[in-house]
Structure formats: structure tokens, C-alpha cells
Amino acid sequence: MEKVVTRFAPSPTGNLHIGGARTALFSYLWAKKNKGKFILRIEDTDQDRYVESAENSIIKGLKWLGMDWDDGPYHQSERLDLYNAAAKKMVEEGNAYYCFCSQDRLKEMREKQVANKQAPKYDGLCKSLSPEEVEEKLKNKEKHVIRLKVPEQGSVEFHDEVRGDIKIDCKDIDDQVLVKSDGFPTYHLAVVVDDNDMGVNWVIRGEEWLPSVPKHVLIYKALGYELPNFAHLSLFINKGGGKLSKREGATSLLNYRDQGYLPEAVVNFISFLGWNPKDTREIFSMKELEQEFDLKNVNKANPIFDTDKLDYLNGLYIRNFSLDEFEKVALPFMERDIKSDLMADKGYVKSVLALEQERVKKLDEVGKYTKLFFTPDDQLRYDPELLVWKKSTPEEAKDNLEKIIEYFKTIDEQQWNRGDLEENTINWIKEQGLKNGDVLWPVRAALSGEKASPSPFELAEVLGKKRSLIRLEKAKSSLQKG
Ligand code: GLU
């Protein structure tokens, strides 16, 4: 069997988005699955839309997700001779022609067609120029493009792995510009020449390119190239069935990294945007995907882009990390958000992280969840309302804090761990004839200073006895003042 060769061929017009990453991933996986080759090609022939930082964003994004290419990156701007030779051959063999129409004429033509409710299409005027007229105009350096000469009759047929057999009438195909007036090829010519030259036999890309395939097929035929296999992936929609907004994913892939999504989770999430393993499994590492991915299981329905699913997967991957792995990825986010001398106490930082690993869905929440552990004693401030359990009064809260402070003082360090603390404190509350909520709410609120936090015993263990008592005292006195 012929070796599978796929490619990812982004235009450097902006950042790599999730959509591009999905195209890249499916192309990469299909090559890996078939022990083939994956090529990266930068399609930079559109000078007007070129963005300098884009290539870097693309490369960084692919690497972040763990995709590497066997060949490339190639740059189309360095391969212009190839495209020019192909265009020349097409003209010589009557499959393409020079067109000297002015922008004004083309505009007028388009407007008329739109007014008559026709699809805009070049009317073929320059097809009828004689070779002498063409030569004369070229000699006079008249501005021109080269167009594909679409047969006036017949149809173009091709097969798409996702969409099945497709047939288009030639009369519905435009005489596509192949070489622009600046001498650069258009995407359509360059993509065909390159895919052929690089031996790409599986063209996998977004469905927005499907309408271009008939033109490409004509170019393949004109140049005597063998057709590749095509697979056009359906575009994402949001949960409401509409187009994606920026917040929903139409944003740079590296933003996901900066928000604290793990590349493993993003890869897993993206793999399901169009593909599924035909069973109930939902967790796949890149290695597993390389074995399991199959274009045959890619379906035509528009995949729903559900950020909740991504958050869920990300949380799952975080929880599956060892504490050391979690620390490695979480620390940069903590260091970004928490400025405190206590951050130097590595053992303390680790015990804080151990407590929060369960809760974190995105790493950029780590700072938010852990900052309570790093408030210096002299900066502790309490909102008295927060300290009072909804079924009790400020007086009761204050009394209960006072009592538990005295009780906690009697607990020795050996027993200052969440298990013993919980068991002993619950017994003590019972003995005192108090209610759990009336005591434990103010304790939890005093230790955390937050509405939501881990349990009072977990907090107490991590903060340690001394720091816990300082917090409880401070909280008590804030109630006194109130
Ligand atoms: N350069 C095109 C893009 O940016 C690639 C289309 C293709 O893969 O053929 O989307």
C-alpha cells in the first residue's frame, strides 16, 4: 500500500485557533495511524494578509499540543518557480489563459450578476483573445492574471471521505485566478502543485474548502497529476447551533494554554470534534489516538463545541496527575498570582496544592483558590457577616469561636491533622451541646476568609496549629468590634 502522506497547510494570517488545531490533529493522527508522514507547509503567498507573528503562533501551538512534523515547515513564498512553471504549462496546453480585464470591469460584471441573482463568475471574455493579441498585451506589460480554463460542458466528480461522492457541473465552476497580477500564485494553484510535489495523498482540511475542490480537480487533471484522497471536516457550532464566538473557542489556541488548560486535555477534547471511537470511551492520550483514530469514524454532523466538556476533561487530567506533576504545572500560575514570602516555603506550597488539586478545573484558578493560604497574619480582614452561620447570631458565632479556640489550644501537634481533628472536634461539639453548623461555619470562614473553601479540618491541617489559632482570634475580634 502506498505510504500515507498528510499535511497541515495554514496561511499565516493570524493565530492558530482550535479549528486549525483540529485540522492539524486529524492530519497528524491519520499519518501516524498509517505509519505515514505528516508535513507542515506555510501557505504564505497572500502578501496582503500576511501577519508576521502568525507562523510563530502556529508552530508554538502545534508543539504545545505535542504534534511534530516529519517534513517542513515549507514556505510557499520560497517555491514560486514551481507554481510559475505549472501555470505556464497550463497556458501552453490550453488549460489556462491570460486575462487582462480591469478591476472596474470585473466589479461591474459582478454587480450585474448579483442584480440578476446569478452567482458571481468571470464571463470568459479574455478566453477569446487571439495568441497575437495576448502576446501584444504582454509585450506592452499590461496588467494581467492567469485563469483556469474550466471546460464549458461536462462535470467534475470526486470522492470525499467524509461526505461521499460529489459531482459539480462545469458551468457552476468559476474560471479561477491561478496567478495574480503581482506574479504570486493563488492558493488554488499553489495548493495543488505543492500537494502533488510533496506526495500528499490525503488532503484533510475544513469544509470551507470543499467548494474549491472542483477547481483543484481540474488543475490536477490539467497538470497530469494523480488525485489525492479528500476529507473535509465539518465546522464547529456552539451548543445553541450557531457560529462560535471568541469566548466559545474562536480564539487563539495559546489562550487556552494561558488559561491553564493542559495540552493533554485539549488534544483529547479536540479529537472528539468530529471523530469518536464508536464506543463509550472518552479518555485518550495522544499515543492512544495515534492507534485508534480512523477517518472512517469521522462524521459529517457539525461537532458541538462545548467548553464545559473541555473543563470537565481538564479537571479530570488534573486530578489524575501525581502531586509532583500537578505542582510542576500549577506553580507558574501560583507564582504569577500570589506574591507572598510564604511562597518560599516549598513544603507549605505543596500541602496547599495537595488540598486544591481536587477542586481545580483550569490552572489559572489555582491562584484564586490558594491565595487564602498566603495572606500574611497582619493583613487578615474579616467581613463579620461572613463569619455568622445563617441559622445563628453574631453573638453565638463569637462565643463559639471563643470556645473552640480554647479547645484547639489543648490539642497537641501530633493530633493536628484532618482525621483526628475532625473526629475529636465533632465529639467535642456534641459534648458541649452545640450544633455543627453553628461552630464549624465560623471556623471554616475564619480559617479561609472565603465563602467557599475546603473543609475546616483540611484548612486547619494545612495552615498548621499556630496559624489557625491566629486566624480564629482575628476573626473573633472582628466580631467583637462589630
Ligand atoms: N492555506 C489554507 C488555510 O489556511 C489551507 C487549506 C488547505 O488545507 O488546503 O486554511
Side-chain angles (χ1 to χ4, degrees):
M1 216 179 67
E2 198 187 14
K3 181 169 163 159
V4 168
V5 181
T6 68
R7 54 31 167 210
F8 178 48
S11 302
T13 52
N15 291 324
L16 179 64
H17 288 188
I18 290 266
R22 194 264 312 249
T23 302
L25 181 66
F26 283 19
S27 306
Y28 169 85
L29 291 176
W30 192 232
K32 290 284 158 196
K33 158 96 180 188
N34 292 291
K35 312 221 172 340
K37 187 160 96 169
F38 173 61
I39 297 173
L40 176 61
R41 182 173 74 226
I42 306 294
E43 303 209 319
D44 56 351
T45 58
D46 192 344
Q47 300 287 294
D48 298 336
R49 298 180 60 218
Y50 181 77
V51 174
E52 204 178 322
S53 60
E55 179 169 338
N56 196 18
S57 155
I58 292 163
I59 287 186
K60 265 199 186 152
L62 295 179
K63 293 220 154 137
W64 178 62
L65 292 181
M67 277 181 257
D68 210 349
W69 40 95
D70 304 297
D71 238 348
Y74 292 102
H75 293 87
Q76 290 190 323
S77 58
E78 291 163 6
R79 302 164 54 82
L80 298 179
D81 290 350
L82 272 177
Y83 316 127
N84 285 329
K88 190 162 165 257
K89 178 173 152 80
M90 287 181 68
V91 172
E92 279 167 7
E93 294 177 356
N95 294 310
Y97 59 95
Y98 288 97
C99 170
F100 300 89
C101 288
S102 67
Q103 284 305 321
D104 287 345
R105 175 170 190 276
L106 295 175
K107 189 166 165 245
E108 205 178 302
M109 187 179 72
R110 221 171 299 133
E111 281 167 1
K112 259 193 218 146
Q113 288 166 334
V114 171
N116 293 335
K117 300 205 172 6
Q118 294 166 319
K121 188 169 169 257
Y122 180 62
D123 62 3
L125 180 74
C126 290
K127 255 196 297 193
S128 54
L129 292 174
S130 69
E132 295 72 28
E133 284 171 310
V134 170
E135 206 174 310
E136 183 67 20
K137 284 175 182 290
L138 288 178
K139 218 192 300 155
N140 294 335
K141 301 227 175 323
E142 276 188 40
K143 213 171 161 184
H144 62 268
V145 300
I146 296 178
R147 286 183 186 275
L148 171 68
K149 192 189 279 177
V150 176
E152 275 161 26
Q153 264 138 36
S155 58
V156 173
E157 288 174 41
F158 63 94
H159 178 78
D160 186 272
E161 195 63 27
V162 181
R163 279 140 221 283
D165 291 328
I166 297 179
K167 183 173 171 187
I168 304 283
D169 276 349
C170 286
K171 64 172 174 31
D172 295 326
I173 307 174
D174 193 12
D175 281 1
Q176 176 63 50
V177 173
L178 301 176
V179 178
K180 293 174 283 186
S181 58
D182 62 4
F184 276 73
T186 55
Y187 155 71
H188 305 280
L189 175 63
V191 79
V192 171
V193 170
D194 275 346
D195 281 339
N196 176 72
D197 186 66
M198 296 174 187
V200 172
N201 47 22
W202 279 92
V203 170
I204 302 168
R205 63 188 162 203
E207 72 176 325
E208 67 275 26
W209 297 107
L210 192 65
S212 301
V213 179
K215 298 168 192 171
H216 298 181
V217 170
L218 291 171
I219 303 172
Y220 271 98
K221 291 204 169 134
L223 291 168
Y225 300 161
E226 202 178 313
L227 272 192
N229 299 289
F230 293 108
H232 287 85
L233 311 173
S234 298
L235 301 182
F236 313 150
I237 48 172
N238 61 25
K239 280 199 262 181
K243 253 181 100 171
L244 291 196
S245 67
K246 274 215 159 54
R247 200 177 46 82
E248 289 164 330
T251 170
S252 166
L253 180 71
L254 294 176
N255 279 344
Y256 287 86
R257 178 196 63 187
D258 300 342
Q259 287 173 53
Y261 288 103
L262 301 166
E264 299 90 327
V266 175
V267 163
N268 197 149
F269 172 71
I270 295 179
S271 71
F272 274 77
L273 291 171
W275 169 82
N276 72 72
K278 297 270 179 232
D279 55 39
T280 53
R281 287 173 301 164
E282 55 175 5
I283 306 302
F284 286 86
S285 67
M286 186 71 107
K287 279 275 154 289
E288 287 162 339
L289 288 169
E290 288 175 12
Q291 316 262 320
E292 302 269 340
F293 179 81
D294 195 336
L295 270 182
K296 296 207 167 40
N297 294 344
V298 169
N299 54 54
K300 208 163 81 175
N302 294 95
I304 297 170
F305 191 93
D306 179 0
T307 318
D308 293 341
K309 173 89 188 289
L310 175 59
D311 288 354
Y312 158 76
L313 283 172
N314 210 54
L316 210 71
Y317 276 85
I318 288 179
R319 288 196 294 283
N320 283 339
F321 272 157
S322 68
L323 182 55
D324 282 344
E325 287 167 329
F326 178 55
E327 185 182 23
K328 192 160 159 248
V329 293
L331 209 50
F333 286 87
M334 271 179 97
E335 283 165 350
R336 183 191 75 184
D337 292 346
I338 299 177
K339 307 286 172 230
S340 160
D341 293 345
L342 281 170
M343 283 289 291
D345 183 345
K346 295 289 169 224
Y348 183 57
V349 170
K350 200 160 193 152
S351 60
V352 169
L353 283 171
L355 190 53
E356 295 296 343
Q357 185 170 357
E358 281 293 310
R359 228 184 0 152
V360 170
K361 284 210 174 102
K362 289 190 287 173
L363 296 172
D364 73 348
E365 298 164 345
V366 169
K368 180 175 81 186
Y369 287 152
T370 59
K371 67 173 192 311
L372 71 98
F373 292 97
F374 297 91
T375 317
D377 298 339
D378 59 356
Q379 283 175 29
L380 291 166
R381 302 278 179 275
Y382 291 97
D383 169 5
E385 262 179 41
L386 177 71
L387 297 166
V388 183
W389 171 239
K390 56 179 186 288
K391 291 185 192 152
S392 70
T393 62
E395 290 68 34
E396 283 170 324
K398 198 193 82 184
D399 267 7
N400 289 335
L401 281 174
E402 207 162 84
K403 284 186 191 144
I404 202 156
I405 289 169
E406 290 316 311
Y407 172 60
F408 275 176
K409 281 183 186 165
T410 67
I411 293 178
D412 71 39
E413 293 281 351
Q414 297 296 317
Q415 300 214 302
W416 196 270
N417 59 68
R418 67 186 77 173
D420 289 335
L421 270 173
E422 177 159 7
E423 198 184 319
N424 295 334
T425 308
I426 300 282
N427 284 337
W428 174 83
I429 292 175
K430 219 182 272 162
E431 281 162 25
Q432 300 291 311
L434 298 169
K435 289 202 189 85
N436 282 348
D438 293 340
V439 180
L440 297 180
W441 175 271
V443 171
R444 194 203 57 73
L447 294 178
S448 69
E450 305 279 339
K451 280 201 188 82
S453 73
S455 80
F457 308 109
E458 290 171 312
L459 293 169
E461 178 187 274
V462 173
L463 286 164
K465 183 172 172 182
K466 188 164 156 248
R467 204 172 283 135
S468 296
L469 285 171
I470 293 174
R471 291 189 174 204
L472 292 165
E473 289 282 4
K474 282 249 182 187
K476 188 187 80 177
S477 53
S478 76
L479 277 169
Q480 250 148 359
K481 270 182 235 135

